[in-house]
Amino acid sequence: MRKTGSPCSGQSGLPNPAFGHEKPHGKPLWLLAELTYKCPLQCPYCSNPLDFAGAGAELTTQQWLDVFAQGREMGAVQLGFSGGEPLVRQDLADLIAGAHELGYYTNLITSGVGLNAAKMAAFKQAGLDHIQISFQASDADVNNMLAGSKKAFEQKLAMAREVKAQGYPMVLNFVTHRHNIDQIDRIIELCVALEADYVELATCQYYGWAYENTEQLLPTQAQLAHAEAVTNDYRERLAAAGNPIKLIFVTPDYYEERPKGCMNGWGQVFLTVTPDGTALPCHSARMLPLEFPNVADSTLKEIWDANPSFNYFRGDDWMQEPCRSCDEKDKDFGGCHCQAYMLTGDMHNADPVCSKSAHHHKIVTARERAETVTNAPDQFVYRNERNSRVFAKG
């Protein structure tokens, strides 16, 4: 198992927990509540931190409700309940009710494992607006192999049907990669059969556990091109048939030549709170050599406005070349700092996805490697407590 890096040299003067000068920024419109790192599945591309087993105690019900209230006061309008598996929390209905009373649009992001019709009805009564169910594949064998559960696929199917039956928007998420991307036609057919309204065909992005499994997950260029062509063909055919289903195809960063804008800008619209109350500008930022604050110690407004770690990548004074003189810096903000850190050891570097980066060869090498790797699921580093404890020990 390889680590995602260590604090790089030349980064003295990194922010401490004290509050200081704030830089221009927007409102945290999108609040992601990672309620727990507990999960019955062990997907090898999970975005949870590698060392989640060493996380502190989870926030209480009241602490979460306080966070939600503070977020609304600051302008947050959308609230996602995530994890791990948020269904593990026994107070989930109470949290949904509290968020609904505050006026949030609420979204439950779940594997469906642990869900049933009664819970779904209770959540609806509490005010839940939206349920997104994730699948690992279009067939039981691949799905269950990736999830590490022999019963996961049938449970997901049943819960997807129940979502539709209870009148929620039908939103499905498939993380695609080299083990299932060739089934894209069957995945779409399954979504059509389930009468999905929205489908996110999200090609795996390489953070967290996915980074540890890059070689076993990264599809080839040909696989990706074929999958996108198939998706476009289905879009045309479904539209011609009057089917309103929306198919969203997400290309992996590793096959781009320009990076995405980091969360629409670091500390601009997106705020994550982890199970132990750590506040982050994105769900992966905890890996960076920065000290992030906890909602138990500071108000959300203090954190968002004045915490040095939240201000660190706002603006462009942190930028090095080629970002500093790039005419696209106001569009991509230098790319993903977590990706830069994982691949180069320095979070100040340009995202290596960018063809202008001195480290772009690392991305090219990964693509080339994808052409030669043989599928071997037994080589996955699965996301589970045992493996996480290894990472937590360093």
Side-chain angles (χ1 to χ4, degrees):
M1 300 180 186
R2 62 185 186 276
K3 299 297 287 182
T4 57
S6 58
C8 52
S9 60
Q11 292 188 1
S12 59
L14 291 178
N16 58 42
F19 293 92
H21 178 68
E22 67 178 79
K23 298 179 183 178
H25 58 275
K27 295 180 179 180
L29 300 177
W30 214 110
L31 178 60
L32 181 67
E34 292 186 329
L35 301 180
T36 181
Y37 286 140
K38 298 182 179 70
C39 184
L41 305 183
Q42 55 177 353
C43 305
Y45 47 73
C46 182
S47 63
N48 284 169
L50 300 174
D51 59 354
F52 70 82
E58 294 177 0
L59 295 181
T60 65
T61 305
Q62 189 56 54
Q63 285 176 311
W64 274 118
L65 292 175
D66 288 345
V67 168
F68 299 163
Q70 292 176 50
R72 280 294 289 148
E73 289 177 3
M74 296 170 64
V77 294
Q78 184 158 328
L79 175 60
F81 296 104
S82 181
E85 174 50 70
L87 292 168
V88 172
R89 290 280 301 217
Q90 298 304 302
D91 59 354
L92 182 53
D94 294 330
L95 296 176
I96 291 169
H100 175 72
E101 289 173 8
L102 288 165
Y104 280 102
Y105 182 88
T106 51
N107 178 17
L108 175 61
I109 304 166
T110 176
S111 68
V113 176
L115 192 58
N116 56 43
K119 286 184 181 179
M120 204 179 291
F123 296 158
K124 194 173 187 67
Q125 180 67 31
L128 183 65
D129 295 298
H130 180 140
I131 299 176
Q132 175 181 300
I133 294 182
S134 63
F135 278 77
Q136 281 73 27
S138 60
D139 67 272
D141 289 342
V142 177
N143 189 99
N144 296 344
M145 176 270 291
L146 290 163
S149 168
K150 295 180 179 179
K151 300 179 180 179
F153 186 68
E154 291 303 322
Q155 169 69 9
K156 289 171 183 290
L157 283 179
M159 289 304 98
R161 295 183 180 112
E162 189 64 30
V163 163
K164 196 72 176 180
Q166 295 206 20
Y168 287 97
M170 166 66 83
V171 183
L172 301 179
N173 174 271
F174 284 79
V175 177
T176 60
H177 42 79
R178 66 183 302 119
H179 292 272
N180 67 4
I181 198 167
D182 294 331
Q183 302 174 353
I184 198 78
D185 55 341
R186 282 172 279 173
I187 288 173
I188 295 173
E189 290 287 356
L190 175 62
C191 295
V192 172
L194 290 171
E195 299 180 81
D197 298 299
Y198 298 91
V199 179
E200 185 173 358
L201 304 167
T203 314
C204 192
Q205 306 289 357
Y206 298 95
Y207 301 88
W209 294 84
Y211 181 75
E212 297 301 309
N213 292 291
T214 301
E215 287 194 355
Q216 287 304 316
L217 292 171
L218 186 65
T220 65
Q221 179 81 62
Q223 285 182 304
L224 186 66
H226 174 73
E228 188 164 14
V230 170
T231 302
N232 288 335
D233 180 62
Y234 268 94
R235 282 176 178 148
E236 293 176 4
R237 286 194 281 148
L238 290 166
N243 191 317
I245 187 172
K246 298 292 189 296
L247 302 178
I248 303 166
F249 189 91
V250 182
T251 303
D253 290 358
Y254 279 40
Y255 283 104
E256 300 284 4
E257 294 299 310
R258 288 291 182 271
K260 62 180 181 294
C262 176
M263 306 307 298
N264 292 310
W266 176 274
Q268 295 300 323
V269 297
F270 189 88
L271 175 62
T272 293
V273 179
T274 70
D276 66 2
T278 301
L280 302 170
C282 84
H283 58 272
S284 297
R286 203 168 190 166
M287 74 171 68
L288 299 176
L290 296 171
E291 293 185 56
F292 289 102
N294 194 289
V295 298
D297 304 320
S298 306
T299 68
L300 220 56
K301 182 170 176 55
E302 289 173 332
I303 290 169
W304 183 257
D305 288 342
N307 181 266
S309 292
F310 271 74
N311 276 299
Y312 197 78
F313 289 113
R314 285 171 173 160
D316 60 12
D317 58 357
W318 62 271
M319 287 184 177
Q320 306 175 143
E321 294 296 347
C323 297
R324 179 167 290 279
S325 59
C326 180
D327 59 4
E328 298 180 63
K329 67 181 180 182
D330 293 329
K331 177 181 178 181
D332 60 36
F333 318 113
C336 175
H337 309 297
C338 297
Q339 201 147 251
Y341 184 59
M342 286 188 297
L343 293 172
T344 77
D346 187 342
M347 63 184 180
H348 303 90
N349 282 331
D351 186 337
V353 164
C354 183
S355 61
K356 299 180 182 181
S357 166
H359 303 277
H360 187 61
H361 65 277
K362 294 178 181 288
I363 297 295
V364 174
T365 298
R367 296 175 193 165
E368 293 171 347
R369 179 65 178 154
E371 302 292 335
T372 62
V373 169
T374 301
N375 288 351
D378 59 340
Q379 294 179 18
F380 278 138
V381 179
Y382 282 100
R383 181 253 191 232
N384 55 44
E385 289 276 346
R386 179 179 61 81
N387 285 335
S388 182
R389 283 193 294 271
V390 173
F391 284 113
K393 291 177 181 177

